[in-house]
Amino acid sequence: MKFAVIRNGSNSKLNDLADGIVRACLAHGHEISSETNGVRFVLNLTNVEAPRAFRRRSQSIFVVSLVAMDELREDAQSVCYRTLVRSLSNLVLCVVPSTTLRPTGTNGRSEIYFTTPEAGFYLLPFDLEAIYQRILPIVSSHFATDNRFTVDLPAQYCGTSPIVEKIKRYGRELDALGVLPAPFPLRQILSEEDLQHIYRIYGITGASYGNLSARERIPELGKTTFWMTGRGVNKANIAKVGRDVLLVKGFDDEHGAALLSVPAYYDPKARVSVDAVEHSLIYRTFSDVGAIVHVHAWMDGVLSTRQNYPCGTRELAEEVVGLLHQTDDPSQAAVGLKNHGLTITGHSLGQIFERIRGKLLTEVPMFA
């Protein structure tokens, strides 16, 4: 795997830390490149006061930004997440002074915060091998978030359907439960140029965690058809088919693309949730699953993924399906996504909500 290092406003301390991470990557057989073309990931050295972004040319390049704080701060999580957004990163590593006297790797008393777009946030001793092992699953994963539109949605579904109305109803309920956070309004943090870059790379115009989907069998469109909320839309205000909620009629696994059936008036900027790859795989694997809800919340006693894979990756979808196979009844189960949230299956949205009301923990536990 090739990678590059970009030193945006770095200092001697940050350079030393980065050199240690580079050595760990080289020791595992990866190759450093002086060019960013053809690399799998970029280690972006920047700072929390004025983070600079590496403007990747495609979504397949992962950006890991490395920053440092001179002292521990009470608002560290907010600062790290803001740095992640402003630096357009897949992962932020923030080195801070250690709160203990334990020796940690080659850097004395330092610890490191890991921050992901899914709001994952946890602290570890600065150990080069441990850092490498947590970077690797992220930068080696494969996004499957492309959308392919076909204007072939049957007329009777172009306005709404009973399933669409249920998605609207339960979207409002999720909002009322307080489990659809939008940690930072992007337009208050990023310039218009940065926003347009995010749109080109990810196809999003806002941040609203969580999603809902429900199966609606339309044989003339495919064997596995389901409605799913759009990417970044306000789940409390789902209104329009072809914009806020879209019909997925299949999935192109080879090219990582959701196949969408839309009305003629669809919004060309709309995108289905990045988790469509996961939902599609669940519906295809378990015929009794009729609905799926994803929330950034937790429940006691759930099985959880072992890796912190990014949303919208093939690897996350496959691990979730593997966990569902381990449950007593995959069609009525809840599994955890590490440092992220829950995927909950049911025969219908109504059944899912009957099971989760009063049981959701709004704070997701963080673990290394």
Side-chain angles (χ1 to χ4, degrees):
M1 184 188 304
K2 286 187 178 181
F3 69 99
V5 179
I6 306 296
R7 302 178 190 270
N8 280 323
S10 58
N11 53 39
S12 58
K13 176 183 177 181
L14 210 56
N15 284 329
D16 289 343
L17 297 172
D19 290 343
I21 295 173
V22 169
R23 287 196 300 273
C25 291
L26 295 177
H28 283 275
H30 305 300
E31 179 183 349
I32 192 167
S33 172
S34 60
E35 303 289 334
T36 57
N37 290 336
V39 301
R40 183 65 174 169
F41 75 95
V42 168
L43 184 62
N44 175 46
L45 280 60
T46 186
N47 63 78
V48 295
E49 289 77 21
R52 296 177 61 185
F54 168 75
R55 289 179 170 271
R56 74 195 89 181
R57 295 182 180 180
S58 72
Q59 193 185 68
S60 63
I61 300 175
F62 289 81
V63 177
V64 178
S65 287
L66 179 66
V67 297
M69 292 183 187
D70 293 331
E71 59 183 4
L72 291 173
R73 298 172 52 166
E74 290 184 1
D75 63 345
Q77 183 172 7
S78 176
V79 170
C80 287
Y81 196 91
R82 198 157 45 234
T83 300
L84 181 139
V85 174
R86 287 176 171 163
S87 61
L88 310 179
S89 302
N90 300 97
L91 176 67
V92 163
L93 309 176
C94 180
V95 182
V96 296
S98 177
T99 56
T100 71
L101 296 179
R102 62 191 172 206
T104 54
T106 61
N107 282 283
R109 295 188 297 274
S110 292
E111 294 180 313
I112 186 164
Y113 283 115
F114 292 74
T115 306
T116 67
E118 297 81 20
F121 182 74
Y122 59 94
L123 182 67
L124 281 179
F126 191 101
D127 178 84
L128 294 174
E129 180 62 20
I131 292 170
Y132 168 78
Q133 292 297 338
R134 283 157 180 78
I135 291 175
L136 183 63
I138 294 175
V139 301
S140 61
S141 58
H142 299 81
F143 280 109
T145 59
D146 286 346
N147 286 202
R148 197 176 303 157
F149 298 92
T150 305
V151 181
D152 62 353
L153 186 66
Q156 63 267 36
Y157 301 103
C158 288
T160 187
S161 79
I163 297 296
V164 170
E165 291 303 310
K166 288 185 183 297
I167 289 177
K168 293 178 182 179
R169 170 188 168 184
Y170 289 110
R172 292 191 294 269
E173 182 166 345
L174 278 184
D175 183 67
L177 290 174
V179 292
L180 295 176
F184 295 101
L186 293 183
R187 292 187 178 277
Q188 294 181 19
I189 295 177
L190 301 178
S191 68
E192 186 61 33
E193 182 182 2
D194 285 339
L195 283 170
Q196 291 303 314
H197 183 72
I198 286 178
Y199 180 77
R200 286 192 297 272
I201 296 296
Y202 293 107
I204 63 172
T205 55
S208 175
Y209 292 153
N211 51 65
L212 306 90
S213 73
R215 194 191 295 265
E216 179 137 18
R217 301 182 193 274
I218 308 176
E220 62 266 38
L221 292 180
K223 295 180 179 179
T224 304
T225 51
F226 62 94
W227 294 98
M228 190 169 192
T229 48
R231 196 176 305 177
V233 304
N234 182 351
K235 310 308 182 298
N237 192 30
I238 298 168
K240 191 174 182 181
V241 169
R243 184 190 67 187
D244 307 318
V245 60
L246 298 116
L247 187 88
V248 182
K249 63 177 180 178
F251 206 91
D252 182 341
D253 294 303
E254 181 180 354
H255 298 97
L259 309 180
L260 305 173
S261 178
V262 294
Y265 56 77
Y266 80 99
D267 183 348
K269 291 184 178 180
R271 297 292 184 273
V272 74
S273 168
V274 295
D275 292 318
V277 58
E278 178 188 317
H279 289 219
S280 179
L281 186 58
I282 292 171
Y283 285 125
R284 284 181 285 163
T285 306
F286 306 108
S287 60
D288 289 340
V289 173
I292 304 169
V293 173
H294 167 58
V295 290
H296 284 214
W298 204 250
M299 294 175 70
D300 291 329
V302 295
L303 295 172
S304 177
T305 60
R306 296 164 297 164
Q307 300 290 351
N308 209 161
Y309 292 120
C311 282
T313 56
R314 186 177 67 218
E315 288 77 6
L316 179 60
E318 291 171 349
E319 190 163 359
V320 168
V321 166
L323 283 180
L324 287 170
H325 274 298
Q326 298 176 43
T327 64
D328 293 336
D329 182 356
S331 69
Q332 302 180 80
V335 297
L337 315 181
K338 180 181 176 182
N339 300 336
H340 180 170
L342 296 166
T343 292
I344 308 164
T345 63
H347 296 160
S348 67
L349 286 171
Q351 186 201 58
I352 290 175
F353 278 81
E354 287 175 6
R355 288 170 24 224
I356 67 174
R357 287 189 187 103
K359 296 181 181 179
L360 292 179
L361 308 175
T362 55
E363 185 171 341
V364 177
M366 297 290 154
F367 54 98

